[in-house]
Amino acid sequence: MKNSDMPDRSASSKNSGINKVLFILSIITILSWLTAKFLNAYNDAFIGAVFKLLWLPMTVSVFIGLVFSIILFVKDKYNPGLLAIYATVLLLVALYILIFFKSN
């Protein structure tokens, strides 16, 4: 069998749309928690109201996204080039921030 006959198993070919969406959502989640923890979002009434409305979906997205990204990582046979592993790392950092850092 020649190398050209073998299927391409690179990370870019395995990063499906669901991996990309999960990675983008994990970036949004961690940015939301970093903003909420390190900036005083309640100086402005509108931004404070947005943070009040989004705290529950962002909390749920940390836990659900973490489980889902681990499932995708295991399903794709532990390929380190997948975006699912990077989403897992980002969500673990978000969980750490959520638990151990106090708000302003």
Side-chain angles (χ1 to χ4, degrees):
M1 211 178 200
K2 293 190 273 185
N3 284 341
S4 62
D5 294 339
M6 296 183 71
D8 184 22
R9 299 188 71 109
S10 67
S12 62
S13 67
K14 294 291 262 180
N15 280 324
S16 64
I18 193 75
N19 282 329
K20 292 176 185 175
V21 168
L22 183 65
F23 182 69
I24 291 169
L25 289 177
S26 67
I27 289 173
I28 292 169
T29 302
I30 195 164
L31 288 176
S32 170
W33 282 113
L34 285 172
T35 303
K37 292 294 182 175
F38 297 117
L39 296 179
N40 190 359
Y42 298 106
N43 284 340
D44 184 33
F46 178 75
I47 295 174
V50 169
F51 275 111
K52 282 288 188 185
L53 289 173
L54 292 179
W55 76 269
L56 184 60
M58 288 297 137
T59 304
V60 170
S61 70
V62 169
F63 295 106
I64 300 287
L66 189 60
V67 169
F68 195 58
S69 64
I70 291 172
I71 289 171
L72 284 175
F73 182 62
V74 170
K75 181 181 154 192
D76 288 332
K77 299 180 179 142
Y78 306 102
N79 186 354
L82 288 175
L83 289 176
I85 190 65
Y86 300 117
T88 304
V89 170
L90 286 175
L91 290 171
L92 284 172
V93 170
L95 184 64
Y96 182 82
I97 290 169
L98 182 64
I99 293 172
F100 293 112
F101 283 90
K102 293 185 178 188
S103 298
N104 284 338

